[in-house]
Amino acid sequence: MVLFHRQGYNNTGINQVIDEAKVSKASFYQHFRSKDELCIEFLNKRYDYWASELEQFTSEAKTVQEKTLKSFDFLIDMNEREDFRGCSFLNILSEIPADKEEIHKVIRYHKSKLRACFNEDIQNDIAAAHIYLLFESSILTSQLYRSNELIEKSKIIVQEILKSSH
Protein backbone atom coordinates (compact mmCIF):
# COMPACT_ATOMS: atom_id res chain seq x y z
CA MET A 1 0.00 0.00 0.00
CA VAL A 2 3.02 2.21 0.40
CA LEU A 3 3.07 2.29 -3.40
CA PHE A 4 -0.01 4.54 -3.52
CA HIS A 5 1.72 6.91 -1.12
CA ARG A 6 5.01 6.89 -3.05
CA GLN A 7 3.82 6.64 -6.67
CA GLY A 8 0.21 7.75 -6.64
CA TYR A 9 -2.89 5.99 -7.88
CA ASN A 10 -2.33 6.03 -11.63
CA ASN A 11 1.31 4.93 -11.49
CA THR A 12 0.56 1.94 -9.28
CA GLY A 13 -0.52 -1.17 -11.14
CA ILE A 14 -2.15 -4.24 -9.63
CA ASN A 15 0.63 -6.49 -10.94
CA GLN A 16 3.25 -4.37 -9.19
CA VAL A 17 1.22 -4.51 -5.96
CA ILE A 18 0.94 -8.30 -6.24
CA ASP A 19 4.68 -8.64 -6.96
CA GLU A 20 5.75 -6.42 -4.07
CA ALA A 21 3.29 -8.07 -1.65
CA LYS A 22 4.54 -11.48 -2.76
CA VAL A 23 1.01 -12.89 -3.03
CA SER A 24 -0.75 -14.71 -5.82
CA LYS A 25 -3.26 -12.92 -8.02
CA ALA A 26 -5.98 -15.20 -6.64
CA SER A 27 -5.02 -14.34 -3.07
CA PHE A 28 -5.03 -10.62 -3.87
CA TYR A 29 -8.50 -10.80 -5.39
CA GLN A 30 -9.80 -12.72 -2.35
CA HIS A 31 -9.05 -9.61 -0.29
CA PHE A 32 -9.70 -6.82 -2.80
CA ARG A 33 -12.09 -6.91 -5.74
CA SER A 34 -10.38 -4.00 -7.47
CA LYS A 35 -7.63 -1.43 -7.41
CA ASP A 36 -10.19 1.08 -6.13
CA GLU A 37 -10.96 -1.16 -3.15
CA LEU A 38 -7.25 -1.45 -2.39
CA CYS A 39 -6.92 2.33 -2.68
CA ILE A 40 -9.76 2.81 -0.18
CA GLU A 41 -8.05 0.43 2.24
CA PHE A 42 -4.82 2.40 1.79
CA LEU A 43 -6.63 5.71 2.51
CA ASN A 44 -8.24 4.29 5.66
CA LYS A 45 -4.92 2.91 6.94
CA ARG A 46 -3.09 6.11 6.01
CA TYR A 47 -5.65 8.22 7.88
CA ASP A 48 -5.38 6.04 10.98
CA TYR A 49 -1.58 6.31 10.90
CA TRP A 50 -1.58 10.07 10.21
CA ALA A 51 -4.25 10.92 12.82
CA SER A 52 -2.46 8.83 15.43
CA GLU A 53 0.85 10.56 14.68
CA LEU A 54 -0.82 13.99 14.83
CA GLU A 55 -2.52 13.18 18.12
CA GLN A 56 0.74 11.96 19.63
CA PHE A 57 2.61 15.03 18.34
CA THR A 58 0.12 17.45 19.92
CA SER A 59 -0.71 15.43 23.05
CA GLU A 60 1.34 17.50 25.48
CA ALA A 61 -0.19 20.82 24.47
CA LYS A 62 -1.85 22.58 27.40
CA THR A 63 -4.01 25.09 25.50
CA VAL A 64 -6.01 25.18 22.27
CA GLN A 65 -3.55 27.70 20.84
CA GLU A 66 -0.57 25.50 21.66
CA LYS A 67 -2.28 22.38 20.23
CA THR A 68 -3.24 24.22 17.04
CA LEU A 69 0.27 25.60 16.52
CA LYS A 70 1.77 22.18 17.24
CA SER A 71 -0.47 20.70 14.53
CA PHE A 72 1.28 23.00 12.05
CA ASP A 73 4.65 21.94 13.50
CA PHE A 74 3.50 18.37 12.84
CA LEU A 75 3.25 19.24 9.12
CA ILE A 76 6.88 20.39 9.20
CA ASP A 77 7.85 17.16 10.94
CA MET A 78 6.00 15.07 8.34
CA ASN A 79 7.64 17.02 5.51
CA GLU A 80 11.04 16.20 6.97
CA ARG A 81 10.16 12.53 7.47
CA GLU A 82 8.46 12.06 4.10
CA ASP A 83 10.46 14.46 1.92
CA PHE A 84 7.58 16.84 1.15
CA ARG A 85 5.38 14.05 -0.25
CA GLY A 86 2.29 16.03 0.68
CA CYS A 87 -1.14 14.68 1.47
CA SER A 88 -1.88 11.20 0.13
CA PHE A 89 -5.57 12.09 0.03
CA LEU A 90 -5.15 15.24 -2.02
CA ASN A 91 -2.52 13.59 -4.23
CA ILE A 92 -4.94 10.79 -5.09
CA LEU A 93 -7.84 13.24 -5.42
CA SER A 94 -5.88 15.10 -8.10
CA GLU A 95 -5.37 11.88 -10.08
CA ILE A 96 -8.78 10.26 -10.12
CA PRO A 97 -11.82 11.15 -12.20
CA ALA A 98 -15.09 12.29 -10.60
CA ASP A 99 -16.79 8.97 -11.37
CA LYS A 100 -14.67 7.15 -8.78
CA GLU A 101 -17.32 8.10 -6.24
CA GLU A 102 -16.33 5.61 -3.53
CA ILE A 103 -12.78 6.96 -3.36
CA HIS A 104 -14.07 10.56 -3.37
CA LYS A 105 -16.45 9.67 -0.53
CA VAL A 106 -13.62 8.20 1.58
CA ILE A 107 -11.41 11.26 0.99
CA ARG A 108 -14.27 13.61 1.98
CA TYR A 109 -15.03 11.51 5.07
CA HIS A 110 -11.46 11.70 6.36
CA LYS A 111 -11.08 15.40 5.54
CA SER A 112 -14.39 16.03 7.36
CA LYS A 113 -13.04 14.22 10.43
CA LEU A 114 -9.97 16.46 10.41
CA ARG A 115 -12.14 19.55 10.01
CA ALA A 116 -14.36 18.39 12.89
CA CYS A 117 -11.27 18.19 15.13
CA PHE A 118 -10.48 21.85 14.46
CA ASN A 119 -14.15 22.76 15.08
CA GLU A 120 -14.18 20.84 18.35
CA ASP A 121 -10.97 22.42 19.63
CA ILE A 122 -11.56 25.99 18.49
CA GLN A 123 -15.32 26.31 19.17
CA ASN A 124 -15.71 29.15 16.69
CA ASP A 125 -16.98 28.09 13.27
CA ILE A 126 -15.37 30.87 11.22
CA ALA A 127 -12.01 30.75 13.02
CA ALA A 128 -11.94 26.94 12.83
CA ALA A 129 -12.76 27.00 9.10
CA HIS A 130 -10.04 29.59 8.48
CA ILE A 131 -7.44 27.57 10.38
CA TYR A 132 -8.52 24.32 8.67
CA LEU A 133 -8.10 26.00 5.27
CA LEU A 134 -4.66 27.28 6.28
CA PHE A 135 -3.73 23.78 7.45
CA GLU A 136 -4.78 22.13 4.17
CA SER A 137 -3.16 24.81 2.03
CA SER A 138 0.02 24.56 4.11
CA ILE A 139 0.28 20.90 3.14
CA LEU A 140 -0.18 21.72 -0.55
CA THR A 141 2.09 24.74 -0.72
CA SER A 142 4.89 23.10 1.24
CA GLN A 143 4.78 20.19 -1.21
CA LEU A 144 4.70 22.56 -4.19
CA TYR A 145 7.63 24.71 -3.03
CA ARG A 146 9.41 21.95 -1.08
CA SER A 147 9.64 24.44 1.76
CA ASN A 148 8.09 24.95 5.20
CA GLU A 149 8.09 28.75 4.82
CA LEU A 150 4.32 29.08 4.33
CA ILE A 151 3.63 26.73 7.24
CA GLU A 152 5.66 29.07 9.46
CA LYS A 153 3.74 32.08 8.13
CA SER A 154 0.46 30.24 8.66
CA LYS A 155 1.37 29.77 12.32
CA ILE A 156 1.65 33.56 12.70
CA ILE A 157 -1.76 34.00 11.03
CA VAL A 158 -3.23 31.29 13.29
CA GLN A 159 -2.05 33.15 16.39
CA GLU A 160 -3.84 36.28 15.15
CA ILE A 161 -7.03 34.36 14.33
CA LEU A 162 -7.09 32.71 17.74
CA LYS A 163 -6.46 36.04 19.51
CA SER A 164 -9.33 37.74 17.73
CA SER A 165 -11.77 34.80 18.04
CA HIS A 166 -12.03 35.09 21.84
Side-chain angles (χ1 to χ4, degrees), residues 21-43:
K22 296 179 178 31
V23 296
S24 70
K25 218 171 224 180
S27 177
F28 172 83
Y29 283 109
Q30 279 179 333
H31 295 285
F32 304 102
R33 287 180 309 212
S34 66
K35 182 177 169 180
D36 288 4
E37 212 172 86
L38 178 65
C39 182
I40 288 167
E41 178 68 11
F42 160 72
L43 291 170

PDB file of all heavy atoms in Angstrom, residues 21-43:
ATOM      1  N   ALA A  21       3.904  -7.430  -2.823  1.00  0.00           N
ATOM      2  CA  ALA A  21       3.290  -8.067  -1.650  1.00  0.00           C
ATOM      3  C   ALA A  21       3.628  -9.558  -1.583  1.00  0.00           C
ATOM      4  O   ALA A  21       3.368 -10.209  -0.576  1.00  0.00           O
ATOM      5  CB  ALA A  21       1.781  -7.876  -1.677  1.00  0.00           C
ATOM      6  N   LYS A  22       4.180 -10.065  -2.680  1.00  0.00           N
ATOM      7  CA  LYS A  22       4.537 -11.485  -2.764  1.00  0.00           C
ATOM      8  C   LYS A  22       3.334 -12.387  -2.470  1.00  0.00           C
ATOM      9  O   LYS A  22       3.402 -13.301  -1.649  1.00  0.00           O
ATOM     10  CB  LYS A  22       5.716 -11.806  -1.849  1.00  0.00           C
ATOM     11  CG  LYS A  22       6.994 -11.092  -2.253  1.00  0.00           C
ATOM     12  CD  LYS A  22       8.136 -11.419  -1.316  1.00  0.00           C
ATOM     13  CE  LYS A  22       9.459 -10.793  -1.668  1.00  0.00           C
ATOM     14  NZ  LYS A  22       9.530  -9.540  -2.309  1.00  0.00           N
ATOM     15  N   VAL A  23       2.222 -12.064  -3.137  1.00  0.00           N
ATOM     16  CA  VAL A  23       1.014 -12.888  -3.035  1.00  0.00           C
ATOM     17  C   VAL A  23       0.584 -13.290  -4.435  1.00  0.00           C
ATOM     18  O   VAL A  23       1.003 -12.681  -5.421  1.00  0.00           O
ATOM     19  CB  VAL A  23      -0.160 -12.139  -2.342  1.00  0.00           C
ATOM     20  CG1 VAL A  23       0.172 -11.800  -0.909  1.00  0.00           C
ATOM     21  CG2 VAL A  23      -0.573 -10.901  -3.117  1.00  0.00           C
ATOM     22  N   SER A  24      -0.235 -14.302  -4.509  1.00  0.00           N
ATOM     23  CA  SER A  24      -0.749 -14.709  -5.819  1.00  0.00           C
ATOM     24  C   SER A  24      -1.884 -13.771  -6.221  1.00  0.00           C
ATOM     25  O   SER A  24      -2.485 -13.102  -5.368  1.00  0.00           O
ATOM     26  CB  SER A  24      -1.264 -16.145  -5.760  1.00  0.00           C
ATOM     27  OG  SER A  24      -2.445 -16.189  -4.978  1.00  0.00           O
ATOM     28  N   LYS A  25      -2.161 -13.740  -7.518  1.00  0.00           N
ATOM     29  CA  LYS A  25      -3.264 -12.920  -8.017  1.00  0.00           C
ATOM     30  C   LYS A  25      -4.579 -13.357  -7.358  1.00  0.00           C
ATOM     31  O   LYS A  25      -5.382 -12.523  -6.948  1.00  0.00           O
ATOM     32  CB  LYS A  25      -3.350 -13.052  -9.540  1.00  0.00           C
ATOM     33  CG  LYS A  25      -3.707 -11.776 -10.234  1.00  0.00           C
ATOM     34  CD  LYS A  25      -3.566 -11.879 -11.731  1.00  0.00           C
ATOM     35  CE  LYS A  25      -2.879 -10.614 -12.173  1.00  0.00           C
ATOM     36  NZ  LYS A  25      -2.628 -10.456 -13.546  1.00  0.00           N
ATOM     37  N   ALA A  26      -4.752 -14.668  -7.246  1.00  0.00           N
ATOM     38  CA  ALA A  26      -5.983 -15.202  -6.639  1.00  0.00           C
ATOM     39  C   ALA A  26      -6.114 -14.731  -5.187  1.00  0.00           C
ATOM     40  O   ALA A  26      -7.194 -14.320  -4.757  1.00  0.00           O
ATOM     41  CB  ALA A  26      -5.986 -16.726  -6.703  1.00  0.00           C
ATOM     42  N   SER A  27      -5.018 -14.771  -4.462  1.00  0.00           N
ATOM     43  CA  SER A  27      -5.024 -14.336  -3.070  1.00  0.00           C
ATOM     44  C   SER A  27      -5.347 -12.844  -2.976  1.00  0.00           C
ATOM     45  O   SER A  27      -6.131 -12.422  -2.122  1.00  0.00           O
ATOM     46  CB  SER A  27      -3.667 -14.636  -2.439  1.00  0.00           C
ATOM     47  OG  SER A  27      -3.641 -14.164  -1.124  1.00  0.00           O
ATOM     48  N   PHE A  28      -4.752 -12.060  -3.852  1.00  0.00           N
ATOM     49  CA  PHE A  28      -5.030 -10.619  -3.866  1.00  0.00           C
ATOM     50  C   PHE A  28      -6.527 -10.376  -4.057  1.00  0.00           C
ATOM     51  O   PHE A  28      -7.139  -9.623  -3.310  1.00  0.00           O
ATOM     52  CB  PHE A  28      -4.241  -9.915  -4.980  1.00  0.00           C
ATOM     53  CG  PHE A  28      -4.632  -8.471  -5.147  1.00  0.00           C
ATOM     54  CD1 PHE A  28      -4.090  -7.499  -4.327  1.00  0.00           C
ATOM     55  CD2 PHE A  28      -5.579  -8.092  -6.089  1.00  0.00           C
ATOM     56  CE1 PHE A  28      -4.472  -6.162  -4.448  1.00  0.00           C
ATOM     57  CE2 PHE A  28      -5.972  -6.767  -6.225  1.00  0.00           C
ATOM     58  CZ  PHE A  28      -5.410  -5.800  -5.403  1.00  0.00           C
ATOM     59  N   TYR A  29      -7.100 -11.046  -5.075  1.00  0.00           N
ATOM     60  CA  TYR A  29      -8.504 -10.799  -5.390  1.00  0.00           C
ATOM     61  C   TYR A  29      -9.468 -11.399  -4.357  1.00  0.00           C
ATOM     62  O   TYR A  29     -10.640 -11.039  -4.324  1.00  0.00           O
ATOM     63  CB  TYR A  29      -8.831 -11.251  -6.813  1.00  0.00           C
ATOM     64  CG  TYR A  29      -8.314 -10.261  -7.835  1.00  0.00           C
ATOM     65  CD1 TYR A  29      -7.229 -10.565  -8.657  1.00  0.00           C
ATOM     66  CD2 TYR A  29      -8.878  -8.988  -7.942  1.00  0.00           C
ATOM     67  CE1 TYR A  29      -6.735  -9.638  -9.569  1.00  0.00           C
ATOM     68  CE2 TYR A  29      -8.394  -8.063  -8.847  1.00  0.00           C
ATOM     69  CZ  TYR A  29      -7.329  -8.387  -9.659  1.00  0.00           C
ATOM     70  OH  TYR A  29      -6.845  -7.462 -10.553  1.00  0.00           O
ATOM     71  N   GLN A  30      -8.967 -12.262  -3.467  1.00  0.00           N
ATOM     72  CA  GLN A  30      -9.801 -12.722  -2.352  1.00  0.00           C
ATOM     73  C   GLN A  30     -10.000 -11.582  -1.350  1.00  0.00           C
ATOM     74  O   GLN A  30     -11.012 -11.503  -0.683  1.00  0.00           O
ATOM     75  CB  GLN A  30      -9.147 -13.902  -1.634  1.00  0.00           C
ATOM     76  CG  GLN A  30      -9.361 -15.227  -2.322  1.00  0.00           C
ATOM     77  CD  GLN A  30      -8.675 -16.354  -1.570  1.00  0.00           C
ATOM     78  OE1 GLN A  30      -7.691 -16.166  -0.874  1.00  0.00           O
ATOM     79  NE2 GLN A  30      -9.220 -17.549  -1.743  1.00  0.00           N
ATOM     80  N   HIS A  31      -8.995 -10.703  -1.248  1.00  0.00           N
ATOM     81  CA  HIS A  31      -9.052  -9.605  -0.288  1.00  0.00           C
ATOM     82  C   HIS A  31      -9.605  -8.316  -0.889  1.00  0.00           C
ATOM     83  O   HIS A  31     -10.277  -7.552  -0.198  1.00  0.00           O
ATOM     84  CB  HIS A  31      -7.662  -9.342   0.294  1.00  0.00           C
ATOM     85  CG  HIS A  31      -7.149 -10.484   1.099  1.00  0.00           C
ATOM     86  ND1 HIS A  31      -7.609 -10.764   2.373  1.00  0.00           N
ATOM     87  CD2 HIS A  31      -6.241 -11.433   0.808  1.00  0.00           C
ATOM     88  CE1 HIS A  31      -6.997 -11.825   2.826  1.00  0.00           C
ATOM     89  NE2 HIS A  31      -6.152 -12.259   1.907  1.00  0.00           N
ATOM     90  N   PHE A  32      -9.283  -8.065  -2.138  1.00  0.00           N
ATOM     91  CA  PHE A  32      -9.698  -6.820  -2.797  1.00  0.00           C
ATOM     92  C   PHE A  32     -10.268  -7.140  -4.171  1.00  0.00           C
ATOM     93  O   PHE A  32      -9.612  -7.774  -4.981  1.00  0.00           O
ATOM     94  CB  PHE A  32      -8.507  -5.868  -2.945  1.00  0.00           C
ATOM     95  CG  PHE A  32      -7.819  -5.562  -1.642  1.00  0.00           C
ATOM     96  CD1 PHE A  32      -6.632  -6.184  -1.313  1.00  0.00           C
ATOM     97  CD2 PHE A  32      -8.384  -4.669  -0.741  1.00  0.00           C
ATOM     98  CE1 PHE A  32      -6.004  -5.916  -0.099  1.00  0.00           C
ATOM     99  CE2 PHE A  32      -7.761  -4.393   0.468  1.00  0.00           C
ATOM    100  CZ  PHE A  32      -6.575  -5.022   0.796  1.00  0.00           C
ATOM    101  N   ARG A  33     -11.470  -6.650  -4.432  1.00  0.00           N
ATOM    102  CA  ARG A  33     -12.087  -6.915  -5.736  1.00  0.00           C
ATOM    103  C   ARG A  33     -11.495  -6.053  -6.840  1.00  0.00           C
ATOM    104  O   ARG A  33     -11.628  -6.374  -8.008  1.00  0.00           O
ATOM    105  CB  ARG A  33     -13.595  -6.671  -5.657  1.00  0.00           C
ATOM    106  CG  ARG A  33     -14.345  -7.745  -4.892  1.00  0.00           C
ATOM    107  CD  ARG A  33     -15.802  -7.430  -4.859  1.00  0.00           C
ATOM    108  NE  ARG A  33     -15.954  -6.051  -4.383  1.00  0.00           N
ATOM    109  CZ  ARG A  33     -16.956  -5.610  -3.675  1.00  0.00           C
ATOM    110  NH1 ARG A  33     -17.946  -6.389  -3.371  1.00  0.00           N
ATOM    111  NH2 ARG A  33     -17.006  -4.352  -3.268  1.00  0.00           N
ATOM    112  N   SER A  34     -10.863  -4.932  -6.448  1.00  0.00           N
ATOM    113  CA  SER A  34     -10.378  -4.001  -7.470  1.00  0.00           C
ATOM    114  C   SER A  34      -9.270  -3.123  -6.908  1.00  0.00           C
ATOM    115  O   SER A  34      -9.043  -3.073  -5.701  1.00  0.00           O
ATOM    116  CB  SER A  34     -11.538  -3.110  -7.933  1.00  0.00           C
ATOM    117  OG  SER A  34     -11.943  -2.277  -6.851  1.00  0.00           O
ATOM    118  N   LYS A  35      -8.636  -2.409  -7.805  1.00  0.00           N
ATOM    119  CA  LYS A  35      -7.625  -1.429  -7.409  1.00  0.00           C
ATOM    120  C   LYS A  35      -8.258  -0.325  -6.563  1.00  0.00           C
ATOM    121  O   LYS A  35      -7.659   0.151  -5.601  1.00  0.00           O
ATOM    122  CB  LYS A  35      -6.975  -0.845  -8.676  1.00  0.00           C
ATOM    123  CG  LYS A  35      -5.875   0.152  -8.414  1.00  0.00           C
ATOM    124  CD  LYS A  35      -5.281   0.593  -9.752  1.00  0.00           C
ATOM    125  CE  LYS A  35      -4.368   1.767  -9.622  1.00  0.00           C
ATOM    126  NZ  LYS A  35      -3.800   2.179 -10.921  1.00  0.00           N
ATOM    127  N   ASP A  36      -9.483   0.055  -6.902  1.00  0.00           N
ATOM    128  CA  ASP A  36     -10.188   1.078  -6.129  1.00  0.00           C
ATOM    129  C   ASP A  36     -10.384   0.628  -4.685  1.00  0.00           C
ATOM    130  O   ASP A  36     -10.201   1.412  -3.751  1.00  0.00           O
ATOM    131  CB  ASP A  36     -11.554   1.399  -6.748  1.00  0.00           C
ATOM    132  CG  ASP A  36     -11.433   2.191  -8.038  1.00  0.00           C
ATOM    133  OD1 ASP A  36     -10.301   2.429  -8.504  1.00  0.00           O
ATOM    134  OD2 ASP A  36     -12.483   2.566  -8.591  1.00  0.00           O
ATOM    135  N   GLU A  37     -10.762  -0.639  -4.495  1.00  0.00           N
ATOM    136  CA  GLU A  37     -10.964  -1.164  -3.149  1.00  0.00           C
ATOM    137  C   GLU A  37      -9.644  -1.151  -2.370  1.00  0.00           C
ATOM    138  O   GLU A  37      -9.619  -0.819  -1.187  1.00  0.00           O
ATOM    139  CB  GLU A  37     -11.519  -2.586  -3.238  1.00  0.00           C
ATOM    140  CG  GLU A  37     -12.432  -2.925  -2.103  1.00  0.00           C
ATOM    141  CD  GLU A  37     -13.113  -4.266  -2.304  1.00  0.00           C
ATOM    142  OE1 GLU A  37     -12.495  -5.283  -1.926  1.00  0.00           O
ATOM    143  OE2 GLU A  37     -14.243  -4.275  -2.820  1.00  0.00           O
ATOM    144  N   LEU A  38      -8.561  -1.501  -3.032  1.00  0.00           N
ATOM    145  CA  LEU A  38      -7.247  -1.452  -2.392  1.00  0.00           C
ATOM    146  C   LEU A  38      -6.891  -0.007  -2.028  1.00  0.00           C
ATOM    147  O   LEU A  38      -6.379   0.265  -0.948  1.00  0.00           O
ATOM    148  CB  LEU A  38      -6.169  -2.037  -3.314  1.00  0.00           C
ATOM    149  CG  LEU A  38      -4.742  -1.990  -2.774  1.00  0.00           C
ATOM    150  CD1 LEU A  38      -4.596  -2.877  -1.542  1.00  0.00           C
ATOM    151  CD2 LEU A  38      -3.750  -2.419  -3.850  1.00  0.00           C
ATOM    152  N   CYS A  39      -7.192   0.916  -2.919  1.00  0.00           N
ATOM    153  CA  CYS A  39      -6.922   2.334  -2.676  1.00  0.00           C
ATOM    154  C   CYS A  39      -7.699   2.823  -1.454  1.00  0.00           C
ATOM    155  O   CYS A  39      -7.158   3.540  -0.609  1.00  0.00           O
ATOM    156  CB  CYS A  39      -7.289   3.153  -3.914  1.00  0.00           C
ATOM    157  SG  CYS A  39      -6.947   4.913  -3.743  1.00  0.00           S
ATOM    158  N   ILE A  40      -8.943   2.414  -1.329  1.00  0.00           N
ATOM    159  CA  ILE A  40      -9.762   2.807  -0.184  1.00  0.00           C
ATOM    160  C   ILE A  40      -9.160   2.256   1.111  1.00  0.00           C
ATOM    161  O   ILE A  40      -9.071   2.962   2.120  1.00  0.00           O
ATOM    162  CB  ILE A  40     -11.230   2.365  -0.378  1.00  0.00           C
ATOM    163  CG1 ILE A  40     -11.876   3.261  -1.457  1.00  0.00           C
ATOM    164  CG2 ILE A  40     -12.009   2.402   0.930  1.00  0.00           C
ATOM    165  CD1 ILE A  40     -13.207   2.775  -1.978  1.00  0.00           C
ATOM    166  N   GLU A  41      -8.700   1.019   1.071  1.00  0.00           N
ATOM    167  CA  GLU A  41      -8.049   0.429   2.242  1.00  0.00           C
ATOM    168  C   GLU A  41      -6.782   1.221   2.593  1.00  0.00           C
ATOM    169  O   GLU A  41      -6.509   1.490   3.767  1.00  0.00           O
ATOM    170  CB  GLU A  41      -7.715  -1.046   1.968  1.00  0.00           C
ATOM    171  CG  GLU A  41      -7.003  -1.734   3.103  1.00  0.00           C
ATOM    172  CD  GLU A  41      -7.844  -1.935   4.363  1.00  0.00           C
ATOM    173  OE1 GLU A  41      -9.069  -1.734   4.318  1.00  0.00           O
ATOM    174  OE2 GLU A  41      -7.246  -2.281   5.394  1.00  0.00           O
ATOM    175  N   PHE A  42      -6.015   1.583   1.566  1.00  0.00           N
ATOM    176  CA  PHE A  42      -4.822   2.404   1.786  1.00  0.00           C
ATOM    177  C   PHE A  42      -5.195   3.728   2.463  1.00  0.00           C
ATOM    178  O   PHE A  42      -4.571   4.139   3.437  1.00  0.00           O
ATOM    179  CB  PHE A  42      -4.088   2.688   0.464  1.00  0.00           C
ATOM    180  CG  PHE A  42      -3.173   3.879   0.542  1.00  0.00           C
ATOM    181  CD1 PHE A  42      -1.989   3.817   1.259  1.00  0.00           C
ATOM    182  CD2 PHE A  42      -3.511   5.080  -0.073  1.00  0.00           C
ATOM    183  CE1 PHE A  42      -1.154   4.929   1.368  1.00  0.00           C
ATOM    184  CE2 PHE A  42      -2.686   6.195   0.031  1.00  0.00           C
ATOM    185  CZ  PHE A  42      -1.502   6.115   0.749  1.00  0.00           C
ATOM    186  N   LEU A  43      -6.227   4.413   1.942  1.00  0.00           N
ATOM    187  CA  LEU A  43      -6.631   5.707   2.507  1.00  0.00           C
ATOM    188  C   LEU A  43      -7.068   5.560   3.967  1.00  0.00           C
ATOM    189  O   LEU A  43      -6.721   6.392   4.810  1.00  0.00           O
ATOM    190  CB  LEU A  43      -7.745   6.332   1.667  1.00  0.00           C
ATOM    191  CG  LEU A  43      -7.328   6.805   0.269  1.00  0.00           C
ATOM    192  CD1 LEU A  43      -8.552   7.166  -0.562  1.00  0.00           C
ATOM    193  CD2 LEU A  43      -6.348   7.962   0.337  1.00  0.00           C
TER     194      LEU A  43
END
